[in-house]
Every structure is written in C-alpha cells, then in structure tokens.
Amino acid sequence: MFKYELIKESKECKARLGKIHTPRGVIETPVFMPVGTKATVKAMTPEEMKELDAQIILSNTYHLYLRPGHELIKEAGGLHKFMNWEGPILTDSGGFQVFSLGALRRIREEGVEFRSHVDGSKHFISPEKSMEIQNYLGSDIMMAFDECTPYPASYEYVKQSMERTTRWARRCKEYHKNTDTQALFGIVQGGMYRDLRIESAKGITELDFPGYAIGGLSVGEPRELMCEVLDYTVDLLPKDKPRYLMGVGSPDYLFEAVERGIDMADCVLPTRLARHGAFMTSQGQITIKNAKYRNDFNPIDEECQCYTCRNYTRAYIRHLFAEKEILGARLATIHNLFFLINLMKRIRISIMEDNFINFKKNFYEKYGY
Amino acid sequence: MFKYELIKESKECKARLGKIHTPRGVIETPVFMPVGTKATVKAMTPEEMKELDAQIILSNTYHLYLRPGHELIKEAGGLHKFMNWEGPILTDSGGFQVFSLGALRRIREEGVEFRSHVDGSKHFISPEKSMEIQNYLGSDIMMAFDECTPYPASYEYVKQSMERTTRWARRCKEYHKNTDTQALFGIVQGGMYRDLRIESAKGITELDFPGYAIGGLSVGEPRELMCEVLDYTVDLLPKDKPRYLMGVGSPDYLFEAVERGIDMADCVLPTRLARHGAFMTSQGQITIKNAKYRNDFNPIDEECQCYTCRNYTRAYIRHLFAEKEILGARLATIHNLFFLINLMKRIRISIMEDNFINFKKNFYEKYGY
C-alpha cells in the first residue's frame, strides 16, 4: 500500500522528484508538511488545508497521548475521523517532546519516564508504547521512537544515544504489525559526527523501513553545519525510499535540504510566525505590526495569489493584529502556508526543468538571504 | 435608495414580514444582525458570513473611531472595502460605548467628553462628530447620537436625558447630508416610563427618519418589563418604517421582540458565548467544556445543519476548547450564528404561515424557557 516512486533526479544537484503512494492519496515530493500538533492545524479548517493543496499534515503523539488521550481518539474512529481530515497524516514518535522536558524526564534502556508538562502526572513511554499510541491514532506514516540528540553534545553522549535509538528502532519494528495501513519510518541520528551518522544509517537501514528520517538536525547548529551533515548523511540512505528531514520550515532550509536530496520536511515555523504577525513574502519576511504598515493599502505580497493577498490590505491586517482579532491569525496562517506550499510547487517545477539552482539563487536574492 | 416594504402582518400578533431595500441589497425582516465590533465579526471571514446568509452586519463607531481611526478607514475606501464585506453594514452612534465609560466621560449639551479606554487620551464626540465618523465609515444605516439611559434610573434623569437625545437627533439630521447612500435612524428613549416613551417617540418621529430604533431596553431590566415597554412603544412608531430593537440576541428576547412588531435586532451574545464554548441548541444552551462531553461523539445539535454540526463531534470540539485552539472559537461562532440566523428564517416562515405563536411555544418548551 505504501510506496515511494522516484520520478526524476536533477542534473544539477541531488534534488529529486518523487511520489509517495499512501492509502489516503499520493504525495508529490519534495513536500512541506504543515503541523497540526493537537489534531488541528492552528487556526485552520481541514477544508482550508485542502484548498491550500496541503498534501499531508503532521500531528504530535506526545500531545495527543496526554490530551485528549489516544484511547479517546481510537474510540472516535482514529485521528482522521476525529479531526475531519481525510488526507495522509504523519505522526512523530513523541520522543522529541519527551526529551525536551529536560529535568522532567529520565531515560532508561526500557524507555523514558517523564512528568506531563500539563499537570505533572507521571508517564512512561517506551518504543512499544509509542507504537501502540500511533497505532491507536491511525496515522499513515509513523515514526520510530528515538532520541533527538541536542546540539552541542559530546561524542560519547551522541554515540550512546544513537546506539540506543537503533536498538529502539528494532523494538519499534518488532512491535508494529499493521504495516499495510501504517508505514513506519526509521530515524538516523548521530549528531554532527560523521562516523556516528554512518554507523546509525547502517543500523537503521538494515532494519529495512519504508522510509527514513534524518533527525538531530536544525536543532540550533549553524546552517553550514546542517548542510555538511546532510551532504554525507543522505548518501547513506537508499534511493528507493523517501527521505525526511525533521523540523525544517524556513525557505532557505527547505532549499538547502531539497538540494541535498531530501523529499519531506515539516515545521511549525510558518503557522507560529503567522500567529505573531510575521509574514513570509517574495521580498523577505515582514512584521505587520510595524507602524509603517498603518496606512499601507497594498497586499502583504504583491506576487502572492493566496486568499489573504487577494482580499486584504496590510493596513487591515495590521489593524486585526493590533486588536488581537482571530481573523488576523487566520489570514496570516493562510498566507504563510500558501507561501511555503507554493514555494515547494515551484521547487518541484524547477527540478523538473533542471533549473533548481538558478531558481534558488533568484529566490535568495529577493528574499534577502 | 433606502425603503422599507411591509410584506405581511401576522393575524396572531404584531409580528410582521418586510423587506428593507438598501443600496447594497435587500434585507428580509425580521432580521438578526451579527456584530463585527472592530471591522470583523470575531473569528469569521466575510465569505463565511455570506454562507451563513447573514444579511447585514453591525459595526461599532466608538471602537473604529479610536482604532484604527475613521480617517484611515475613509482613506481605505470605506468600511466595506477595508473589511472586504460587500453587504449592508449598520453602525451605531458610539453613544452607548461612550456612556458606558462611566467616570471617564462628562456629558454636556454640546456632546460628550471622554477618555479612551485604550490609552486614556482625551476625546469629544458630539452629534455632529458622530455623523462625521459614520459618514467616513460609509455604513448603509447610521444611528443618531443618543444616550442609552441605564436601568434603573430616576424619572428626572431619564426625562432630561431623553429630551437631550431628541435635541441631539435633530442636530444629527441637520448635519447628515448624503441621505441617498446612508440612511439615518432615530432612536426612541424614555427608559421604563410610559409618558417619557410617548414624548420621545413624538419628538423623534416628527423628525421623519427612514427607520427607528428603540434604545434603553435589554439593559438589565426583567424580561417582562422589556415586553411591557415594547408593547406600548412599538405602537408609537409608524408602520411604514423599520423598527430596530438594540442589543437583543437571545432566542427568547428575539421571539418576544418579533411578537411585538420589531423588525431588526443585534447582539454580541451568539459570538461572545461561542468564544466561551457555550452553544445554543434546539434543546437549550450547552457548555462544551463540561466533562460529560469528553467522549460524546454526537454533533453539538442533532437537528442542526451547520458546518460544525455536519463535520465535528462534541468530543472533538471539547478537546479544541480544552486546548484553547482557535478552531474551537471558529466552529462555535459558525454554529451560534447559524442557529440564530436560521431561527429568524423559521420565524419569518411562521409569520408567513400565521403559525408564529405555536412555533414560539414549541421552541420555548424544547429550549427549556
């Protein structure tokens, strides 16, 4: 049921076009996946996501496990039915959020013990438990339970963590049964250390997952370092499987990732920026609360064809943000998601036309990178 | 350009069917007017308001005068263009909000001096200034600058206030010139005192406005008292002009008002309740945060055909409110506005069929009044 189809490799770089076939539809890659942390892409309806041509959305296992609870979502008929979204859904493993809890969590070989950030209650998530939760949620793509190693981190720490992630990946694979309806992706870790990335990729790909993610990047390291790690890590992954770079959503990171052979990426960036009144535009990022937009009756982005830019002025949107009106967050979210989804469409076209490098160069110049 | 057309009078009571012809379209009455205080119906797009069959929306002069400022809205091409709403708009006079400022305002014959609730800055609104602001906004129906007398209030106070309101109404009429594009309504005051209502109605109707509002009701008095005042006040108004009861939006108040010959009403109630998770349903009001809805997979209202009820469960909407997700406020606003707009449609049908009293009785029984 789940299959990656390689359509074309760029003549200019490692960028590639593909299709991911899932039971809930085909995803054209490279793709940006908007995030709906708590079973809703913040401020948006599923119909609006569809109108934006969002091909797949991401949801967060940790949050849904705590509230409303994966049993409740199972009882509701699964996450798709619960939230009224018929397209593909990818769920993370919960690992990233659990490890982010810092003092609130304790890692053991068996799994991670932690206290809820909501009410302090005690919980335990193991690779098996993560699989169970994601099985209950019924996502189309599941992620193996891993540790996203922080940056910076010592060689020793990253090595131990990476080796445990590989052992956990095996346990995930052994636990997860309904592989026909839910594809389980493995995650390559290893921090910024080349030999550890090699070792991780070897261990994870040996388990033969239908797709692979690269974790532990875009965690605070300089962009050049991320690119360097991507350069050699992507080469360690099989060509016939999709490659997913976790946590990337700024235009430049997307370009750099695609150039290095990444097929999928996700980030809360566009939706979070939106709620703070920051808009991605063809001329760079703008903050609408700035006084100079007070009587600016132009659209957010002259070149943009989204609902927001077709119907509203900067002055009006600034007014909405000044008054903390919900419509402000809505219009901004629509715009930023449209911007990134449309950017990925144009990137796909540029790969098709072997014009990616030039397209990237022009985009960077206008955006101000 | 502006004209009220009486379509039918009920055989059962004073309820009546009509049409208000405006330059921006026809409004079927009795009508409920949703409120978009700050140039947006909270949480909604104009397209969504259209889909709900909202025939006219209300916006608040006081708020728009302070922010973003009526000059800015004029520069934007008027309120309709600014907020992307092509249908009719009614603006209040600003009086209600200014008088609500209490210690922050001082009433003189010339007008009202007040300090902004936002930044404490000093302002002065007179009848002429209110007209100027509303002219700048470009609303289709403007309201004369009045004092909405509080409840309770002494006979002496109400009498003086009412007489000033009449003098102000004359000044409004003298100032307002473009009567072809903007209809100016007079407002009858007089509190709960019959002879003052009679005197007010006489003074206001002598000025011959294209429509009349009844102010100073639904300000905290018992429902029976409101009904009593309505009973004799509506009779003081001409039959060939629309009658607008200000600040009414609960189902029972709408029924009582329509029964007594009211054609128009407005209130923030449905949208405000919505943002607090309170839903109007055919079985009465429910508060979705209640624990019993945790795993209730029924729609908010089995009998409702709105977008929310067609696509989402109580359990999901409860989850959205528990997580303070914007989509919760959106789904609730859609539902409550649909509920009231649909209720008014059914009320119009019941008047057409001379079945209003029976329809009201059945509704009250189910709603739990």
Side-chain angles (χ1 to χ4, degrees), chain A residues 151-367:
Chain A
Y151 174 82
S154 72
Y155 183 86
E156 250 334 286
Y157 182 88
V158 176
K159 182 173 163 64
Q160 284 181 18
S161 163
M162 176 275 288
E163 289 170 351
R164 189 172 45 229
T165 285
T166 305
R167 291 192 296 275
W168 283 357
R170 182 171 295 113
R171 283 166 57 189
C172 286
K173 187 162 176 174
E174 278 164 14
Y175 183 93
H176 176 57
K177 298 301 175 205
N178 42 330
T179 50
D180 267 4
T181 51
Q182 295 185 274
L184 173 62
F185 279 27
I187 304 176
V188 172
Q189 291 288 351
M192 312 300 161
Y193 302 102
R194 185 166 188 163
D195 64 321
L196 298 185
R197 286 281 174 188
I198 293 174
E199 198 184 320
S200 176
K202 186 168 178 295
I204 296 294
T205 55
E206 272 177 7
L207 293 170
D208 193 23
F209 290 104
Y212 297 96
I214 299 176
L217 288 182
S218 192
V219 289
E221 80 282 6
R223 190 173 82 184
E224 295 67 32
L225 184 51
M226 180 194 78
C227 292
E228 190 191 314
V229 177
L230 269 186
D231 275 334
Y232 55 72
T233 305
V234 168
D235 291 341
L236 305 167
L237 301 176
K239 279 205 165 178
D240 60 346
K241 302 286 172 68
R243 304 151 178 173
Y244 163 28
L245 179 59
M246 305 175 85
V248 159
S250 65
D252 57 336
Y253 274 57
L254 290 171
F255 269 108
E256 301 300 337
V258 167
E259 185 172 346
R260 287 162 179 81
I262 291 296
D263 306 303
M264 310 159 72
D266 78 286
C267 196
V268 296
L269 189 74
T271 45
R272 182 169 292 167
L273 283 179
R275 293 194 305 283
H276 290 93
F279 291 74
M280 297 173 175
T281 83
S282 55
Q283 314 288 318
Q285 196 171 303
I286 70 170
T287 304
I288 201 63
K289 290 174 197 168
N290 194 311
K292 71 179 172 189
Y293 300 123
R294 193 180 174 278
N295 58 351
D296 183 337
F297 301 110
N298 295 302
I300 292 290
D301 186 349
E302 288 279 6
E303 297 179 21
C304 182
Q305 287 302 309
C306 81
Y307 168 75
T308 302
C309 290
R310 279 185 285 110
N311 293 290
Y312 302 91
T313 61
R314 290 171 168 180
Y316 180 66
I317 295 169
R318 181 174 184 277
H319 162 70
L320 294 177
F321 272 94
E323 298 295 322
K324 298 183 175 55
E325 287 285 352
I326 288 174
L327 185 57
R330 291 184 60 187
L331 297 181
T333 303
I334 288 171
H335 172 82
N336 278 355
L337 286 179
F338 181 96
F339 184 85
L340 278 195
I341 289 169
N342 193 49
L343 176 63
M344 295 309 279
K345 278 185 196 169
R346 292 162 71 205
I347 283 179
R348 290 197 297 270
I349 292 170
S350 78
I351 298 171
M352 181 61 82
E353 297 172 346
D354 287 311
N355 187 40
F356 174 83
I357 298 298
N358 191 44
F359 177 62
K360 176 187 162 193
K361 185 171 160 282
N362 290 337
F363 182 92
Y364 275 36
E365 265 170 28
K366 273 179 77 179
Y367 205 85

Side-chain angles (χ1 to χ4, degrees), chain A residues 57-184:
Chain A
I57 63 169
L58 191 143
S59 213
N60 291 107
T61 290
Y62 168 77
H63 292 92
L64 296 178
Y65 160 74
L66 289 180
R67 294 197 303 200
H70 56 299
E71 295 96 344
L72 182 87
I73 291 178
K74 189 186 184 187
E75 202 186 334
L79 184 53
H80 296 81
K81 198 169 168 203
F82 185 58
M83 69 181 288
N84 185 33
W85 167 256
E86 292 171 0
I89 297 176
L90 183 151
T91 46
D92 64 1
S93 69
F96 181 75
Q97 274 84 15
V98 168
F99 283 95
S100 305
L101 292 172
L104 289 173
R105 49 87 173 156
R106 214 179 54 177
I107 309 171
R108 292 182 297 172
E109 180 61 24
E110 178 59 18
V112 187
E113 203 174 81
F114 65 98
R115 288 188 177 278
S116 155
H117 74 285
V118 178
D119 60 8
S121 57
K122 239 179 167 172
H123 299 267
F124 181 75
I125 293 193
S126 61
E128 292 78 13
K129 184 72 187 175
S130 172
M131 294 299 100
E132 182 192 284
I133 300 170
Q134 294 183 71
N135 285 162
Y136 276 34
L137 297 177
S139 50
D140 306 280
I141 300 177
M142 297 163 53
M143 300 306 296
F145 191 68
D146 68 325
E147 182 186 1
C148 175
T149 41
Y151 174 82
S154 72
Y155 183 86
E156 250 334 286
Y157 182 88
V158 176
K159 182 173 163 64
Q160 284 181 18
S161 163
M162 176 275 288
E163 289 170 351
R164 189 172 45 229
T165 285
T166 305
R167 291 192 296 275
W168 283 357
R170 182 171 295 113
R171 283 166 57 189
C172 286
K173 187 162 176 174
E174 278 164 14
Y175 183 93
H176 176 57
K177 298 301 175 205
N178 42 330
T179 50
D180 267 4
T181 51
Q182 295 185 274
L184 173 62

Side-chain angles (χ1 to χ4, degrees), chain B residues 338-363:
Chain B
F338 181 96
F339 184 85
L340 277 195
I341 290 169
N342 193 48
L343 177 63
M344 295 309 278
K345 279 185 195 169
R346 292 163 70 204
I347 283 179
R348 291 198 296 270
I349 292 170
S350 77
I351 298 171
M352 181 61 82
E353 297 172 346
D354 287 312
N355 188 40
F356 175 82
I357 299 299
N358 190 43
F359 177 63
K360 176 188 163 193
K361 185 170 159 283
N362 290 338
F363 182 92

Side-chain angles (χ1 to χ4, degrees), chain A residues 38-40 42-43 46-48 67-68 72 76 82 84 294-295 297 307 311-312 316 319 323 325 330, chain B residues 38-40 42-43 45-48 67-68 72 76 82 84 294-295 297 307 311-312 316 319 323 325 330:
Chain A
K38 299 173 180 178
T40 164
K42 288 191 193 302
E47 287 79 5
E48 286 166 344
R67 294 197 303 200
L72 182 87
F82 185 58
N84 185 33
R294 193 180 174 278
N295 58 351
F297 301 110
Y307 168 75
N311 293 290
Y312 302 91
Y316 180 66
H319 162 70
E323 298 295 322
E325 287 285 352
R330 291 184 60 187
Chain B
K38 300 172 179 178
T40 163
K42 288 191 191 303
T45 63
E47 288 78 6
E48 286 166 345
R67 294 198 302 200
L72 182 86
F82 185 58
N84 185 33
R294 193 180 176 278
N295 58 350
F297 300 111
Y307 168 75
N311 292 291
Y312 302 92
Y316 181 66
H319 162 70
E323 298 295 322
E325 287 285 352
R330 291 184 60 187

Side-chain angles (χ1 to χ4, degrees), chain B residues 92-101 145-146 148 219:
Chain B
D92 64 0
S93 69
F96 181 75
Q97 274 84 14
V98 168
F99 282 95
S100 306
L101 293 173
F145 191 67
D146 68 326
C148 174
V219 289

